Amino acid sequence: MELATKYDPTVVEDKWYAFWTEHRIFHSEPDNRPAYTIVIPPPNVTGVLHMGHMLNNTIQDVLIRRARMNGFNAVWVPGTDHASIATEAKVVNFLKEQGIDKKDLTREEFLKYAWQWKEKHGGIILQQLRKLGASCDWDRTKFTMDEDLSEAVIQVFVDLYNKGKIYRGVRMVNWDPKALTAVSDEEVIYKELQSKLYYVRYAIEGEPGEYITIATTRPETILGDTAICMHPDDERYAKYKGKRAIVPIVNRSIPLIYDEYVEREFGTGALKITPAHDINDYNLGIKYHLDTINIFNDNGTLNENAQFLVGMDRFEARKAIIPMLEEAGSLVKIEDYVNKVGFSERTNEVIEPKLSMQWFCKMGELAKPALEVVMKNEIQFYPDKFKNTYSHWMENVKDWCISRQLWWGHRIPAWYLPNHEYVVAHNADEALSIARQKYPELNLNAEDLKQDEDVMDTWFSSWLWPLSVFDGIRHPDNPEINYYYPTSALITAPDIIFFWVARMIMAGLEWRGAIPFKDVYFTGTVRDKLHRKMSKSLGNSPDPIMLMEKYGADGVRFGMLVTSPAGNDLLFDEALCEQGRNFSNKLWNAFRLVKGWSVDAGIEQPIHSKTAVEWMRQRINEVVAGMEEDFTRYRLSEALMSVYKLIWDDFCSCFLEVVKPAYMQPIDAKTFGEITDLFETLMEILHPFMPFITEELWHELRARQDGESIMLTAMPKSAGTDNALLNAFANARNIIEQVRRVRSEKNIANKQALTLHVHADAQQANEALDAVIRKLANVDSILYVGESAEVNGASFIEQNIKYSIPLTGLVNAEEEIKKLEADLKYAEGFLQGVLKKLSNERFVNNAPQNVVDIERKKQSDAEEKIRIIKEQLAKLKS
């Protein structure tokens, strides 16, 4: 079949992905081979492919494809996360568009809509990953709310509760007024904002004309103040000890308290205390037994406790209270102020500190062993700089708020009884049984028990992912968990090191007594050329699907990987994808070139071809050995660049030029067979990076059996390298470049054969390499003339050996003399400048020695160049 003149990735990619899935090449079952396991960081079921996913999943695919070819039983488990907050928000908006309000639905009705939405819209990202070439075992696709995974989550909750590691209590939490749920500390993103600092004075009760001025960024919370606090050693406020103050507007009498927590130098040195709406104020409230007045509704509007501005949004109330304070004579001044404000990671809503009854998981005991395995390198971080980040968090870990005020997710397995007690159980039947045993006097029936309305934090299911996808929680001794666990590598972003990485390590050690993965490779953030993080709002984030349609999946994979050092930001440039597409075209054209040659079995193999074949084998060995080291250290970018240069610079630009037969002439069969073998080897080395074009060319190179795939071949190994041959061939290439330079400078046509004189003894001749030089430099003869021989022509030096090319009859003597005289004038002027600097005693005596040495080297080089030019001029004029 006639090969297309241009490579069409669309046709090729669709064809081979269908082939791989039809033949179930990605599927794995436990056997006697060593396992290599990766579990995908499950993207949100609401998600679509973005550039961060592209980078992360390309890296995973490279590792899993290479592992298959290295003889491992490789499995890459795909799946999605139910993403409580994000998905519930999507479903609520979806219902709003149909005129349905969540408040008008029962839990069961809402969940029915949510599952319908999930089945219709969820999982799009997994389909998109197929376009990228992701070789996931799709038969194993998991969803964090699958029945088996959900059972595992409930089992873990019950287990931790029974161990005393889960408890329920009123605590100050991070409240998201938009999602109407608590979020964990790790889900709060702090941003620096330009704010205002409001100075407000409070009258001292019973002391006319006496005031204490406080400074606050949140004047609306004045309505919930229950104390003012000063430092006990602050002399400014010593006279007010034992007195009380009056809160402006609400005229509430509050105590003045003194605590070393206060920084005297900040603001006025006096702090308003609102225990219901600030974590530090809350702690002081407990210490001094202060009243707690919650003035906010769950949605961030003011409630009846505020007395004023009831029903108004908190930010509108902030504006509205200012004229009220002014009218009361309480506002002293307003200043510009920069402060950090917490935002919900999911909704980008300003977090409201809120006292709330929530479920918490104690982290102290879980964190200790999880810290130890990383610090002792039982789990390796790449790059290891993230160990410091990890250890800092783990050493200061706080209890995890695991309850969320949502309906979509794993429901808290706690049931409340009529006597206000509760029981925790795996299901309602077990809950009733436990309750009857604990409280037989209540004569309980099923309808007497009411299950907790909250669901668990999404991460409470995600932290079990490496265990639960192999059913390791419910059935801890099943063949799959015993075979595939621990997983081999985790590829993730550093921004979820606390959300996910640390917690998975805790979970693995808690329920299996073993680490969940051996290596963690942290990807960097994908940024644009201006170092800006990619985002929809900036309009600098390209659509990955459109990129793949334009450049092919292989081209985009190349573009993502070629500049992606572990843990460092990737500066994405679409030109890199274009470079990847050009590389695909280069491979295609190289193959078309080779396939276009006719083969003659009666021709003997030329020496230049034999030499080139052996050199190419050695170069492959050298690169393969280097790539082994690169992969050991997760230097994927370096590994890709080495194979890219091997193919583009060595195979295409040099090797094929050496072995290429003369125009309209056939190639010998031995060389053609060896070219095919080498081409095949290169495709196998490149396959993990660019799977589609390598599969296509691998099949085109020779006839294959049905079901055969490059993915099932063995990754080439290095058989050691002949460094002497590599160095000698490199020198030969330098000589060829020098001859080509002379041609260019002297305007000698490429078709004009030259004679090369080597100023060395004949015994130094290497016929194998000389044959290569003759072929690529179009040299008809190479003469070894001895060191002292005089040759009239152009000369150069390589490896301390002089080479000359006679130019008689090849160049215009007058033009050459004119050019050389101009070169001489420039060289002499350059030398004068260097000598002037070296004649300056201050420079020679005061400049660093290495700087002086550089100038002296410039002098000697210039003098040698002048000598050679004068020599050439003398020969031309003689």
Side-chain angles (χ1 to χ4, degrees), residues 524-535:
T525 300
V526 183
R527 298 183 181 274
D528 65 15
K529 290 184 289 185
L530 301 176
H531 295 254
R532 299 176 304 177
K533 189 174 181 179
M534 290 197 165
S535 68

Side-chain angles (χ1 to χ4, degrees), residues 81 176 219 272 306 389 397 498 579 666:
D81 190 290
D176 182 335
K272 62 187 282 303
T389 308
V397 69
F498 312 130
Q579 185 182 352

Side-chain angles (χ1 to χ4, degrees), residues 687-795:
H687 175 74
F689 297 103
M690 302 175 74
F692 292 107
I693 191 168
T694 51
E695 185 79 84
E696 175 76 2
L697 293 179
W698 186 81
H699 277 267
E700 290 283 0
L701 280 164
R702 61 176 97 240
R704 306 291 179 186
Q705 297 294 319
D706 182 49
E708 275 192 290
S709 168
I710 189 173
M711 204 186 312
L712 301 178
T713 61
M715 177 61 66
K717 301 293 181 186
S718 175
T721 53
D722 182 346
N723 290 323
L725 173 58
L726 289 171
N727 292 334
F729 202 97
N731 185 52
R733 290 180 77 176
N734 289 338
I735 292 167
I736 292 162
E737 286 304 310
Q738 290 280 24
V739 173
R740 289 173 174 174
R741 178 185 59 78
V742 170
R743 282 185 184 277
S744 175
E745 289 178 354
K746 309 301 182 186
N747 293 316
I748 302 171
N750 289 329
K751 65 182 179 181
Q752 175 69 59
L754 301 174
T755 300
L756 181 65
H757 289 231
V758 185
H759 296 264
D761 297 332
Q763 55 262 38
Q764 291 180 254
N766 184 327
E767 178 51 29
L769 292 171
D770 284 356
V772 172
I773 295 170
R774 284 196 293 269
K775 175 73 186 290
L776 289 190
N778 191 15
V779 170
D780 57 4
S781 62
I782 299 177
L783 306 175
Y784 286 79
V785 296
E787 290 184 26
S788 58
E790 290 289 328
V791 177
N792 187 10
S795 60

Side-chain angles (χ1 to χ4, degrees), residues 484-496:
Y484 291 117
Y485 188 96
T487 66
S488 305
L490 175 73
I491 315 304
T492 189
D495 56 357
I496 55 172

Side-chain angles (χ1 to χ4, degrees), residues 90-101 113 116-117 120-121:
K90 290 271 188 184
V91 176
V92 167
N93 289 334
F94 166 73
L95 292 172
K96 271 184 184 175
E97 291 170 3
Q98 299 183 54
I100 302 171
D101 195 314
Y113 281 116
Q116 288 174 356
W117 186 93
K120 184 175 181 180
H121 301 283

Side-chain angles (χ1 to χ4, degrees), residues 26-319:
F26 306 153
H27 184 62
S28 168
E29 293 288 341
D31 60 24
N32 58 1
R33 292 173 294 167
Y36 185 94
T37 312
I38 293 179
V39 291
I40 198 170
N44 288 356
V45 73
T46 60
V48 292
L49 204 62
H50 59 60
M51 297 304 286
H53 293 133
M54 290 286 285
L55 173 62
N56 187 293
N57 287 285
T58 298
I59 291 169
Q60 290 177 80
D61 194 47
V62 169
L63 294 174
I64 212 78
R65 286 177 182 272
R66 184 175 171 84
R68 278 193 200 98
M69 296 176 73
N70 275 327
F72 290 93
N73 184 357
V75 65
W76 182 12
V77 181
T80 50
D81 190 290
H82 64 277
S84 292
I85 296 175
T87 305
E88 184 145 328
K90 290 271 188 184
V91 176
V92 167
N93 289 334
F94 166 73
L95 292 172
K96 271 184 184 175
E97 291 170 3
Q98 299 183 54
I100 302 171
D101 195 314
K102 179 189 172 186
K103 295 196 296 290
D104 299 328
L105 299 175
T106 64
R107 187 188 195 103
E108 288 67 30
E109 288 170 338
F110 177 81
L111 288 176
K112 185 179 178 182
Y113 281 116
W115 279 105
Q116 288 174 356
W117 186 93
K118 181 262 176 188
E119 293 306 320
K120 184 175 181 180
H121 301 283
I124 291 173
I125 191 168
L126 298 185
Q127 295 299 322
Q128 292 175 323
L129 284 176
R130 288 169 164 83
K131 176 70 178 166
L132 180 66
S135 57
C136 299
D137 186 347
W138 298 110
D139 295 340
R140 293 180 176 274
T141 303
K142 293 292 185 181
F143 175 53
T144 50
M145 282 175 63
D146 285 344
E147 187 175 343
D148 54 341
L149 272 68
S150 296
E151 285 182 11
V153 172
I154 300 302
Q155 186 172 322
V156 161
F157 185 101
V158 173
D159 181 52
L160 286 175
Y161 177 79
N162 290 336
K163 290 174 178 175
K165 291 178 180 175
I166 282 182
Y167 63 93
R168 184 171 181 260
V170 175
R171 298 288 188 278
M172 182 69 72
V173 297
N174 305 299
W175 186 262
D176 182 335
K178 186 173 183 180
L180 299 177
T181 182
V183 296
S184 66
D185 291 343
E186 290 72 39
E187 292 168 287
V188 179
I189 308 298
Y190 286 91
K191 302 178 186 179
E192 205 167 74
L193 298 183
Q194 188 68 47
S195 302
K196 299 288 184 185
L197 192 61
Y198 302 89
Y199 288 80
V200 181
R201 65 180 190 173
Y202 292 56
I204 303 299
E205 190 175 42
E207 300 285 343
E210 292 286 320
Y211 298 92
I212 288 181
T213 299
I214 61 91
T216 180
T217 57
R218 303 196 61 192
E220 69 280 10
T221 62
I222 285 172
L223 304 175
D225 286 353
T226 58
I228 295 176
C229 187
M230 289 78 66
H231 194 282
D233 298 332
D234 194 331
E235 295 178 359
R236 292 174 294 176
Y237 303 113
K239 61 183 178 179
Y240 299 131
K241 286 183 179 178
K243 296 187 182 297
R244 300 174 70 86
I246 303 297
V247 179
I249 301 174
V250 293
N251 294 320
R252 181 185 304 120
S253 174
I254 58 173
L256 302 180
I257 61 174
Y258 294 79
D259 193 276
E260 291 180 352
Y261 161 75
V262 177
E263 294 180 26
R264 284 174 281 184
E265 296 76 21
F266 178 77
T268 65
L271 295 181
K272 62 187 282 303
I273 305 300
T274 319
H277 302 294
D278 181 275
I279 182 61
N280 298 311
D281 291 6
Y282 171 69
N283 292 330
L284 285 170
I286 293 173
K287 185 174 180 179
Y288 293 99
H289 309 290
L290 301 175
D291 292 336
T292 299
I293 302 173
N294 179 4
I295 65 167
F296 291 125
N297 294 311
D298 288 350
N299 64 359
T301 58
L302 274 65
N303 63 26
E304 299 290 339
N305 294 333
Q307 301 180 46
F308 294 85
L309 309 176
V310 175
M312 188 177 288
D313 178 78
R314 53 189 168 150
F315 297 113
E316 291 303 314
R318 183 173 302 174
K319 297 174 187 174

